[in-house]
Amino acid sequence: MIKETNIQTDRLIIRPYQESDLLEAFHLMQDKELFQFLPMDVMPLEEYKDLFSWLISCYEVNFTADWFKYSFVITDKDTGSHIGWCGVGCLDFNHNCKEVFYLIGKNYWGRGYATEALQGLIDYCFNNLRLNKLTAVVKPENISSKKVLEKLGFSYEYTVSELPEEFEFYNGELFYSISKDT
């Protein structure tokens, strides 16, 4: 089911990665500024190939499993260019929570793509995966992402704190959620 995902919005197509997407996905991820709010950094191609293989292997895990994480490429309908990625999966520090996440390439900022992609993903999660609640975590200084979440109806619940060292990156992040009935 996940391998056949095809979410279409007015301007975007959101779909699973394919092996042929490797180089375009890698090039998108070479801008250090994109990692300002992520627990990872720019990586060399060989290292990225391992990550990319892992992303594709995750499609084999059923979303009803104890743990899953799916990342999808966001492409421009008109040009077919990769403009970013988004996904859904178990929150790293709380597998009971299903989080949505996204990244839009800097060349595409300020055009509403994040909101459009995330709305398409949310609809898919509620209507196709039958999830009832979604969460998102965001650094307080990431004003743009906070605005996207709030615009889509996510509500702030609390600030993440007191996580063990393994999840230290998430301490201080704002925890948002949205329910299917919202």
Side-chain angles (χ1 to χ4, degrees), residues 31 67-68 71 82 159:
D31 184 344
W67 184 91
F68 71 90
S71 293
H82 291 208
T159 300

Side-chain angles (χ1 to χ4, degrees), residues 27 48 53 74 108 119 122 170-171 173:
H27 289 297
Y48 186 79
S53 293
I74 303 170
Y108 303 97
Q119 183 63 65
I122 291 165
Y170 298 101
N171 283 325
E173 290 200 337

Side-chain angles (χ1 to χ4, degrees), residues 59-103:
Y59 302 140
E60 300 298 326
V61 178
N62 191 298
F63 69 90
T64 60
D66 289 340
W67 184 91
F68 71 90
K69 194 168 293 265
Y70 307 126
S71 293
F72 305 110
V73 63
I74 303 170
T75 59
D76 181 292
K77 262 187 185 177
D78 292 335
T79 65
S81 298
H82 291 208
I83 65 165
W85 47 261
C86 63
V88 60
C90 295
L91 187 58
D92 289 340
F93 61 86
N94 182 347
H95 291 186
N96 293 322
C97 294
K98 307 311 180 231
E99 76 164 327
V100 290
F101 47 88
Y102 72 92
L103 177 137

Side-chain angles (χ1 to χ4, degrees), residues 112-171:
Y113 288 130
T115 303
E116 186 174 335
L118 210 48
Q119 183 63 65
L121 181 63
I122 291 165
D123 292 345
Y124 175 79
C125 290
F126 287 153
N127 299 321
N128 295 75
L129 300 183
R130 305 268 187 246
L131 298 175
N132 292 315
K133 183 176 182 179
L134 295 169
T135 61
V137 289
V138 61
K139 295 286 184 199
E141 57 274 16
N142 190 345
I143 305 300
S144 296
S145 283
K146 286 177 16 182
K147 286 180 182 177
V148 167
L149 293 175
E150 291 166 0
K151 185 180 205 176
L152 292 169
F154 280 79
S155 298
Y156 168 80
E157 286 192 27
Y158 63 91
T159 300
V160 177
S161 64
E162 300 182 18
L163 292 177
E165 189 175 329
E166 175 185 6
F167 302 113
E168 177 63 32
F169 173 84
Y170 298 101
N171 283 325

Side-chain angles (χ1 to χ4, degrees), residues 14 23 33 47 54 97 102 107 111 147 151 168:
I14 301 164
L23 289 180
E33 191 174 349
E47 190 177 336
W54 177 80
C97 294
Y102 72 92
N107 292 342
R111 300 184 198 175
K147 286 180 182 177
K151 185 180 205 176
E168 177 63 32

